[in-house]
Amino acid sequence: MNECSILWCGKYHQNWENELHCHNYFQMVGILSGSGTVYVDDQPYEIEKEQVFLLCPQQLHAIHCGEKNAAPLKMLDVKFTVADPALFEDLVRVGDMFHLQDFGWFVRFFDKIIAESAQQRPYYYSIISGYLLEMLVRIVRERLGQPAAAPEEEALRVATFKGVDVAALMQYIDFNYSRIISLEDLSTLAGVNKTTLISIFKEVYGTTPIRYINRIRLRKAKELLVNTDTSVSEIADLVGFQSIHYFSRFFKAKENCTPMEYRMRNGQSRYFSFQRQGGSSLW
């Protein structure tokens, strides 16, 4: 099984805009020139040359170009899936936007992928998948360095950070994750603006507030799937997902299986195995 698979790759000028949307695959964009704004979740980023954006599955994002008479936005763009769970989790931790120490190698790898795809010689897809995998590994190594401890466990030990009562934020999320929690709610509680709040979360947790909350919801959902017979739609509602469809897409993107498949593998499958021990039921 390939660690990653390319769905689409290109280098192009963009003079059109799109609205907030999401999809079930990764998208990585490198900025070559131009101006505008990239929105990721609730965070706006003013476009700068040599920025890299890494958009995760089911993450809301949009691109708005610059002024009407401004030079069109020139960018590199690749859409891909990741099958390796460890690489998937590391990519989620990399961050929405970053600058590389050497943007040149990033461009060269894109050029090699595009050139190899255009020629389509034998085994070209294996070659371009290898190029992409090397790109992703280099990015993870540069951005993350040594493997970090589990963000949730580390963050919960923090009482305050840069004057913000992190413990109070965590308590609020623990009590309210099943409800709609907005950045405005958390910003008001923390006494800082949304940009500062996101920055603090990234430093303490290695992720954004919305991703952290969804991580909590996912963990709670997995516990309910394994330990109860509550329906999938009820679990989605209990842990705070606004629809069964969004919950199912989010779950599959993170776990590489549907909620029901997860339940069968981790809940009922253990139960049937346990019953067979000794040749008779213990119930």
Side-chain angles (χ1 to χ4, degrees), residues 84-94 144 215 254-255:
D84 184 305
L87 180 58
F88 189 108
E89 290 301 320
D90 280 341
L91 289 172
V92 170
R93 292 170 49 219
V94 160
L144 302 183
R215 185 184 295 157
K254 297 298 184 184
E255 299 297 323

Side-chain angles (χ1 to χ4, degrees), residues 221-228 251 255-274:
K222 288 162 66 176
E223 292 173 1
L224 289 170
L225 286 167
V226 171
N227 298 313
T228 76
F251 194 98
E255 299 297 323
N256 292 318
C257 65
T258 67
M260 282 303 298
E261 288 170 341
Y262 184 88
R263 168 173 274 170
M264 291 297 294
R265 293 174 188 172
N266 299 279
Q268 294 181 15
S269 61
R270 281 210 307 264
Y271 169 73
F272 289 131
S273 175
F274 179 71

